Amino acid sequence: MSKIEQAYELAKERYGALGVDVDAAMAKLAGVPISLHCWQGDDVIGFEDPERGLSGGIMATGNYPGKARTAVELRADLDKAYSLIPGTHRLNLHAIYGDADGAKLDRNDWQPHHFDKWIAWAKENNHGIDFNPTCFSHPLADSGFTLASSDKGVRDFWIEHCRISREIGAHIGKQLGTACVTNVWIPDGYKDTPADRTAPRQRLLESLDQVFAKELDPAHNLDAVECKLFGLGSESYVVGSHEFYMGYAMSRQKVLCLDAGHFHPTETISDKISSVLLYVPELLLHVSRGVRWDSDHVVTLTDELQAIMQEIVRGDYLSRVHIGLDFFDASINRVAAWTIGTRNAIRALLMALLEPAAQLREMELMGDFTGRLALLEELKGLPFGAVWDYYCQQQNVPVGMAYLGEIRGYEKQVLAHR
Ligand code: RNT
Ligand code: ZN
């Protein structure tokens, strides 16, 4: 027996004594896909025009060498990341990442067939795909407004883009046999105090109703909407606030997207999950990490990450929550950023699956809050790492820091030559 197996056997005994079935937890974990966001691979630039900088109140800082410049490079980088992450996972694509064989297309030129290479690649590797209209980084978004613009021409342009994006999503979902979650996020907002908070929200509501007017088969495409508190340059007012989209998703029965970095700094999304799922059919999570003004740091194993995964598991919501990631760090190796962030999300999910749920619930119902506190704290010291290592080995991915050696090799052989 290897050291990893020995440690695993001992860990299994410890968890077993609490009534936790470790093998069942790992089997369940293996069935949960995480949607990796393509945009970590090139700092949210896309393939329309590399000269067109990132706008929309989001920003990637750093100039670590080796970012992907083409769809072929991006897929190669993703393949590398997926090979270091246990399990089978999805890809979250933005519209600006269509693959038109290098031809320059503008925003509303993208059609479903421009994503066929992504679809073929996904089929080969068993990845589902999710999608996003790109309502930023474009001259018609320079005013800071898209779907909520006071200019009808601008509004119509973005309505059309969002409509096509849903069709692309449905095309992808149909081809892959797994529904594509198409998530609408827009940057619209004001830097300084608005005189009218109402009109832009009324316009956004009308635009969204137009975007979603055509019914699409939910087996192919699921519509999601994402709120935000503020962005760079939209510090005072964001049209698509939490209340706006919560109301929208509830009244239209859409998927609500909660981004962990889009709320007040001390506000957490973990506590929202069980509330909103009483009223919306499904959730999309953008698992991220806010640090001061930035909402998109690489996901680390924080208390909040663990709380999010605990909520999903404790509430038995795995079938109603789509777990996606959303961070972009251009100051470190981008393949490492994906790998570290995704492995952390999966680690936190495994920790949640290893909870002695029945016992904790029982204590709570009996009013034994002392016991609940004691057990929750004891769990933090259990040999969780031994189970994680064994899971990685079982899934044929590097155990522990060994993934970093692989990334360093890839950097030398591939990234350094870009
Ligand atoms: C921006 C939103 C949104 C984006 C992506 C690139 O604050 O979080 O999800 O990060 O669309
Ligand atoms: Zn997001």
Side-chain angles (χ1 to χ4, degrees), residues 80 83-84 333 335 339 396-399 401-413 415:
K80 190 70 208 174
S83 78
L84 306 173
N333 180 300
V335 176
T339 307
N396 285 315
V397 302
V399 173
M401 287 279 284
Y403 71 82
L404 193 57
E406 298 244 359
I407 291 173
R408 295 226 157 104
Y410 186 72
E411 178 164 313
K412 237 193 208 150
Q413 282 150 24
L415 302 178

Side-chain angles (χ1 to χ4, degrees), residues 19 26-27 40 46 93 106 112 138 147 192 204-205 212 242-243 255 279 341 355 386 389 396 412:
M26 290 191 300
Q40 166 58 63
L93 270 182
D106 195 24
H138 188 275
L147 290 178
D192 225 326
L204 177 55
L205 181 78
F212 298 129
H242 179 47
E243 290 72 15
V255 178
Y279 307 105
E355 274 191 348
D389 286 347
N396 285 315
K412 237 193 208 150

Side-chain angles (χ1 to χ4, degrees), residues 34-45 54 58-62 74 77-78 81-82 85 89-94 97 132 136 183 185 226 228 257-262 284-291 293-302 305 308-309 323-347 403 407:
I34 307 284
S35 197
L36 270 73
H37 53 311
C38 74
W39 52 91
Q40 166 58 63
D42 75 334
D43 317 334
V44 213
I45 295 301
L54 177 58
I58 52 179
M59 189 164 73
T61 50
L74 190 57
D77 294 356
L78 280 161
Y82 285 117
I85 296 165
H89 300 286
R90 301 176 67 90
L91 175 72
N92 195 4
L93 270 182
H94 241 285
Y97 290 84
N132 307 259
F136 50 85
N183 176 51
W185 173 74
E226 179 180 6
K228 193 169 182 176
C257 174
L258 297 175
D259 183 310
H262 284 192
L284 165 65
L285 298 185
H286 273 188
V287 179
S288 184
R289 178 168 54 104
V291 177
W293 56 263
D294 178 55
S295 66
D296 301 291
H297 273 54
V298 177
V299 167
T300 55
L301 197 63
T302 57
L305 177 66
I308 291 168
M309 298 307 177
I323 308 175
L325 305 174
D326 185 8
F327 49 80
F328 23 103
D329 190 336
S331 75
I332 61 172
N333 180 300
R334 295 171 185 80
V335 176
W338 267 321
T339 307
I340 293 166
T342 314
R343 283 176 68 117
N344 277 333
I346 300 168
R347 278 208 293 172
Y403 71 82
I407 291 173

Side-chain angles (χ1 to χ4, degrees), residues 268-384:
T268 55
I269 64 165
S270 52
D271 186 48
K272 300 182 189 299
I273 295 170
S274 54
S275 290
V276 293
L277 276 175
L278 293 173
Y279 307 105
V280 297
E282 293 180 15
L283 280 183
L284 165 65
L285 298 185
H286 273 188
V287 179
S288 184
R289 178 168 54 104
V291 177
R292 307 209 188 276
W293 56 263
D294 178 55
S295 66
D296 301 291
H297 273 54
V298 177
V299 167
T300 55
L301 197 63
T302 57
D303 287 350
E304 172 58 4
L305 177 66
Q306 291 180 55
I308 291 168
M309 298 307 177
Q310 283 165 354
E311 279 305 306
I312 299 173
V313 172
R314 290 177 187 176
D316 200 15
Y317 295 133
L318 275 168
S319 62
R320 293 175 64 199
V321 177
H322 306 267
I323 308 175
L325 305 174
D326 185 8
F327 49 80
F328 23 103
D329 190 336
S331 75
I332 61 172
N333 180 300
R334 295 171 185 80
V335 176
W338 267 321
T339 307
I340 293 166
T342 314
R343 283 176 68 117
N344 277 333
I346 300 168
R347 278 208 293 172
L349 188 52
L350 176 58
M351 290 172 100
L353 289 165
L354 288 173
E355 274 191 348
Q359 206 178 329
L360 284 165
R361 239 171 246 245
E362 174 75 12
M363 284 170 161
E364 190 162 282
L365 278 178
M366 303 299 288
D368 181 9
F369 306 140
T370 312
R372 182 185 63 185
L373 177 66
L375 182 51
L376 281 173
E377 290 310 294
E378 195 56 26
L379 292 174
K380 293 177 181 170
L382 286 198
F384 156 76

